Each structure stands twice: as C-alpha cells, then as structure tokens.
Amino acid sequence: NAGVMQNPRHLVRRRGQEARLRCSPVKGHSHVYWYRQLPEEGLKFMVYLQKENIIDESGMPKERFSAEFPKEGPSILRIQQVVRGDSAAYFCASSPRQGGNEQFFGPGTRLTVL
Amino acid sequence: AQKITQTQPGMFVQEKEAVTLDCTYDTSDPSYGLFWYKQPSSGEMIFLIYQGSYDQQNATEGRYSLNFQKARKSANLVISASQLGDSAMYFCAMREGGTANSKLTFGKGITLSVRP
C-alpha cells in the first residue's frame, strides 16, 4: 500500500542546470499538487494537476518552472536554469478527488543549488 | 493579510501532559477546511486532522483534537498525553472555497519539543 513517492530525495545542481523532480501519487489518485518549502517557512502552493491537465498554476513562478502529469507515469516538476534561490524542499501531494479532506504528502525532494 | 497565523514561539511540554498549538485563520469564504500536519526532523509531512467549516463537532483523531472556534476564526490543535515522538514542527493549513478548490495555504509552523 505505497504512499506518495518522490525521487530523488536529494538533488544537487549547479547554477544554470536543469532540475527534474518526480512524483508518483498514491495508486488510484488522479490529483497531484506541488508545494515548495523554503528554510524556516511553511509550504507554499505551486501547481495543481489532474491527469494531463493543469488545473491551477497560480503559485508557479512565471519563468523557468513547468509541471506536467501525463496519462502514464509520474508527475514531473521541471526547473530550468536553476538559481540559488531555487534551493528548497519540494513536496508533492495527491488526493483521490478534487477538494478532498486529505492530501497525502510525499517525503519531499531537497534541491540544493550550488 | 496572513491567511494562516501561527505566532507561538517554540513550545515545550512535559511528556504525558497535554499541549495546545494555536492557529488563527482569515477568510471571507463561508466554506473552507482546516488541516494540521506534523513535520518531524526527517522532513515528511504527516496529516493529523481535518475540520470542515460546517462541521458541528470538533474533530478528533486519537490523541489529537481540534478546538474549532468559528467566531474567533481559530483552529487550535490539542495533543493529549504527549509522547517524545511528538517533537516536531506542526503546520496549520486551510483550503478555501469548498470542493472546487484544492490548494492548501500553510502557516509558518510551530516547533514542539517534548521533554522526558
């Protein structure tokens, strides 16, 4: 009964490189959310996706960040040309339906930009 | 204005005692949900408890209960019989707009330390 899986757990990139973060939701969940947690802060919403659709991207930076949740395979959060300010923990959550009372979180990916 | 406010400094509690973690929220939406999550030092986010704005009774889940005071817009988490494993960061979060909206807005968190 696997929960939300995220990989890698830790990712180190140099400035200007690309970072790809993967999230496999709980089996049967078709709703995925990405959040970012800066040091000493709470989580900040980035994007909400259903299979093949972006529902709400109001928290995504306008440039360099993109997300997808294809019909098959994990959801991907992609950060192009990373900068030091992108260093954070990125969490994925899933739920079985829209507006559910629970969002199950993955363990997070800790991105460090050198 | 902050949507979720958690202003307590680091909290300390003696093992086996109860502790209350404060959370106030701000919304003009009549339909919303309130959540508490625990984040231990290992970093994962663990769902603890949920309270809907229309729920008549305070939510309870084992040793966790939510003291929901709608008029005051507060949703304090009460942990009874604290255990050493309760030492962690605790985040209050809100979902506004009923089931049409799913994103959560989080507070900055409170650190709880349980003393043996």
Side-chain angles (χ1 to χ4, degrees):
Chain A
N1 189 16
V4 178
M5 309 284 282
Q6 287 188 252
N7 67 80
R9 295 291 306 276
H10 300 274
L11 182 61
V12 179
R13 285 288 178 265
R14 296 191 179 279
R15 281 180 296 170
Q17 291 184 320
E18 178 180 286
R20 281 187 177 233
L21 288 61
R22 294 175 188 77
C23 168
S24 297
V26 173
K27 189 175 181 181
H29 287 193
S30 58
H31 301 258
V32 164
Y33 316 82
W34 285 93
Y35 294 83
R36 177 166 63 176
Q37 185 179 30
L38 296 171
E40 310 299 323
E41 295 282 327
L43 278 68
K44 296 281 195 291
F45 168 80
M46 298 181 76
V47 63
Y48 163 37
L49 310 102
Q50 291 181 35
K51 282 286 186 180
E52 300 185 275
N53 290 306
I54 296 174
I55 307 302
D56 181 353
E57 57 182 345
S58 58
M60 285 281 268
K62 298 291 183 219
E63 297 176 347
R64 302 188 297 108
F65 285 72
S66 62
E68 62 177 9
F69 188 18
K71 188 176 180 180
E72 301 290 337
S75 175
I76 306 286
L77 179 68
R78 183 181 176 208
I79 312 172
Q80 295 178 290
Q81 299 174 343
V82 296
V83 300
R84 289 221 173 103
D86 296 333
S87 295
Y90 292 82
F91 287 91
C92 168
S94 75
S95 67
R97 58 188 178 279
Q98 186 175 16
N101 295 345
E102 291 180 356
Q103 285 188 15
F104 297 88
F105 279 80
T109 294
R110 273 130 191 97
L111 172 65
T112 302
V113 180
L114 301 177
Chain B
Q2 292 277 345
K3 292 233 179 226
I4 295 287
T5 302
Q6 297 179 263
T7 57
Q8 288 168 304
M11 294 286 290
F12 294 86
V13 65
Q14 204 67 31
E15 195 178 6
K16 299 181 185 175
E17 293 186 350
V19 63
T20 298
L21 306 181
D22 295 343
C23 172
T24 57
Y25 59 92
D26 182 27
T27 181
S28 56
D29 203 310
S31 180
Y32 53 91
L34 297 156
F35 302 73
W36 277 91
Y37 285 86
K38 172 184 177 181
Q39 186 177 44
S41 57
S42 50
E44 70 269 33
M45 293 289 288
I46 302 168
F47 168 77
L48 296 178
I49 197 166
Y50 167 82
Q51 178 86 43
S53 60
Y54 294 120
D55 292 345
Q56 296 295 316
Q57 302 211 345
N58 286 345
T60 60
E61 289 285 350
R63 294 187 298 112
Y64 305 108
S65 60
L66 202 151
N67 184 1
F68 181 43
Q69 299 194 33
K70 199 169 182 177
R72 293 186 178 183
K73 293 189 174 179
S74 75
N76 299 340
L77 177 71
V78 181
I79 305 174
S80 62
S82 297
Q83 301 172 356
L84 295 178
D86 294 335
S87 295
M89 282 284 287
Y90 288 81
F91 291 95
C92 179
M94 176 172 64
R95 186 194 67 227
E96 296 175 274
T99 56
N101 179 31
S102 294
K103 67 184 180 187
L104 299 182
T105 302
F106 283 81
K108 293 194 172 185
I110 301 167
T111 301
L112 175 67
S113 299
V114 180
R115 290 174 169 149

